Amino acid sequence: MPTATATFEPVITKTMHLEDSHTLGVYRKHGGYEALASALEKTPDEIIDLVKRSGLRGRGGAGFPTGTKWGFVPKGTDKPKYMCVNADESEPGAFKDRLICAKDPHQLLEGTLIGSYAIGASRAYIYIRGEFAHEARILERAIQEAREAGFVGKNILGSPWSCEVTMYVGAGAYICGEETGLIESLEGKRGWPRLKPPFPAVVGLFGCPTVVNNVETLACVPHIVNRGWEWFAGIGPERNAGPKLYGLSGHVNKPGVFELPMGVSLRELIYEYGEGVPGDRPVKGVIPGGASCPVIRGDEIDIQMDFDTLTRAGSLFGTGTPIVMDDTTCMVRAAWITARFFAHESCGQCTPCREGCGWLQRLLWKIEEGRGEEKDLDTLLSVTDQIEGNTICALGDAAAWPARGFAKKYRDEFLLHIREKRCPLDGALA
Amino acid sequence: MAQVKVKFDGREISVEKGTNLIEAAKLAGIFVPHFCYHPGLPVVGVCRICLCELEGRPKLVAGCATSVEEGMHVITRSKKVADARRAVMEFLLIHHPLDCPMCDKGGECTLQDYTMLLGPSRSRFQFEKLTWPEEDVGGKLVLNKNRCILCMRCVNLCKDVAGLDEIAVLNRGEQTFIGTVDGRMIENELAGNIADICPVGALTSKDFRFKARPWELTNVSSVCPHCSKGCNIVVGFHARRNEILRNTARTNMDVNQWWICDRGRGGFHHVHDEKRLTAPARRGDKGYQGVSWNEALLEISASLRDIILRHGARAVGVLGSGTLTNEEQYLTRAVFRDGLGITHIDFPRRPQPEVRYAKFTIEGDKDPNARGALLCGVAPVQSGLGVRDMVRAAAEGTIKALLFLRGAPSPIPRAGCSASARF
Ligand SMILES: Cc1cc2nc3c(=O)[nH]c(=O)nc-3n(C[C@H](O)[C@H](O)[C@H](O)COP(=O)(O)O)c2cc1C
Ligand code: SF4
Ligand code: SF4
Ligand code: FES
């Protein structure tokens, strides 16, 4: 076992190997819902303060400090407040939230309830990706169990506070994971992201103050309540605290979800936990945090996996779910596949994203097919520049970054395609 | 409202708090291009042509969706802004058919205008374009999706002003399109406004299509005569052909804001109707026979004088009209009531059910100036008869002459009535 993380004791995935880990019985046997009980003895402000101090940053991709987000919810308004759980996990490469929903739904529910209590919400919605039919069934069952046991519903654990939890199944659109797209979809509309400001904390679901949090973010909360903020802040690098579920996929011997501290080295993740690359082939590149994060080269994998380090390195931590590519991978094709995904998932609302994503996809396909010209590479880069920052939501950026990343990091390979008029790897792959 | 001081490209102005950058820039004499923004519709911020730079902020902001704040310095003339806007133009045109010569909007198309204004003049997009068939969507409109820039104005007009979801945006990504739901037709009577506000030639009016180029028209400001609302309109008149070709809305915030109804929009065709009386005629045994104005007026005044002399002014009825102007109403009263002492004087009312949309009502009172008629005294006096009794009395022969100042009841009463004239 690796040394750097040897002392780390998993908390989120701790009971997931047990039979029936998804049931209330197993959850309670391991201390489940004790955090909710002790949270209800504190004031909502104390909970927010606790989460702030813990340094928990959102696990949905942007890494926004969770306690701060909760603190934005206005006090002293008559409007109802809402907690929305983002279980839309659709980023290619990400499959960590799915694991929590399937294997430990009560952990998510407990975090959701504590979060709802902290922001003063009496209703929480779990927005789950439409394709997660199995997980949705498990969650629904868990909500039912929790309601029967008095953790959901009226006067929770005898307190004056009541909270309903409702699950809502999406219809298969990546954009409904964007928090305001999610809110629109919950309202029964097209999942078109909203203009911001106003931010959801002020004007969110049904026009009321709303917090949208990722599944994993909320799953951390009961542990912070149980073990204290100092414990959480003590894991991982400064300002990037806590345990993290890394979803490792691609060319590794042992893909899967690994719970490790924030800041684990990417090399360690691939070689120790992922048990290396099949056939001991070299790593050619890694998309560190889900498809929207710019690729890093195989010689750059001695890097700490956390928000700040990857941003400094010109990439992104995203959802912390690396996709490993070995030397049999054609980077032009990888770029094209990524671009095709975003072109397909663009909601079609803003001009640069709607038109630009389709254009990127066509340019990349042209190059991959051996019809590319050198000016196509310039056009590609300029299209990414013109999408980035000019759209309503971050999907535009999420499409521009990887395309630019691939074209810049593997310029040689792109030029080879253009000059040789074919994909040099096509033969080798057969 | 509180005022704030802001600068646009160095020019300081004071504007009302909450004003968006497009409107505020106007006050500073600076033009911020916009496709999706319309002052009468909700802000959607989707086209991104209005991107502006704010001093000290790395990201451009949408001018339509950003409100002025004290001390803000808005930059609209930087390279960054120009590049971003040019990029939006290039994006909007990648699948556009560039068919201006055969597009009905040519000459009054925002996309065309901005291409001239912002460029670029060449596209780097060298792939097959997406194409769509033309479609009838009802509402007297034709939809050509190839030209649509998905500004959402049509959708929001129906949703917000008419309060109906008759046209929607469907699918996603570059396959996104505007359409009706399940092939249903647009039925609301405000839909014609879409042809006015669609910034391109995607939704055009069946009625006006291919009739003329907009620059051939003389635009005359007018008021719609089809109900008591009095919407302000622009009559598009083709001088060479001596023909009215369309009515479009003219903004008047106190009356109709930016909109008119489809009855008013199409309410000019009667002007060119073959059956319309354009010259005096006398009805005789062989139907109508043309006469000169001189002859007609002489004959009418002679028989009027004759009837009044023989039977008195109570043998004459005058039917005025709620469609006449105040001046005409005054003359009706001055000539017939005050001058000739006629007491049977009235005008017909033609009420219809009011049509109430979310933000626009088509009035039920179809007489644009009933109030003017009443105020001017076009009404029976000294137990004179009203419209219906007058017509009956004419049929029975107690009234010998009826004068219609605009339009006549059908059929025109004959028996017993020795003379009737309509103008
Ligand atoms: C295009 C797009 C897709 C997103 N999809 C997801 C998603 O599937 N799950 C998720 O938790 N966050 C997703 N996000 C991030 C959310 O907008 C939001 O930041 C997050 O749910 C906030 O939760 P957190 O603060 O707990 O991370 C997406 C963002 C964008 C721009
Ligand atoms: S950036 Fe793309 S996905 Fe996001 S709102 Fe705009 S068109 Fe939709
Ligand atoms: S049809 Fe016209 S008004 Fe409607 S979205 Fe397209 S361009 Fe805009
Ligand atoms: S006018 Fe601002 S985005 Fe369209």
Side-chain angles (χ1 to χ4, degrees), chain A residues 379-395:
Chain A
T379 308
L380 181 92
L381 291 174
S382 104
V383 170
T384 63
D385 288 344
Q386 288 157 348
I387 300 174
E388 188 190 353
N390 290 341
T391 56
I392 290 179
C393 88
L395 190 142

Side-chain angles (χ1 to χ4, degrees), chain B residues 172-193:
Chain B
R172 69 185 186 206
E174 62 182 21
Q175 297 291 339
T176 308
F177 65 92
I178 293 295
T180 51
V181 183
D182 297 336
R184 268 178 281 171
M185 296 281 120
I186 302 175
E187 281 169 359
N188 78 73
E189 292 189 84
L190 300 178
N193 291 298

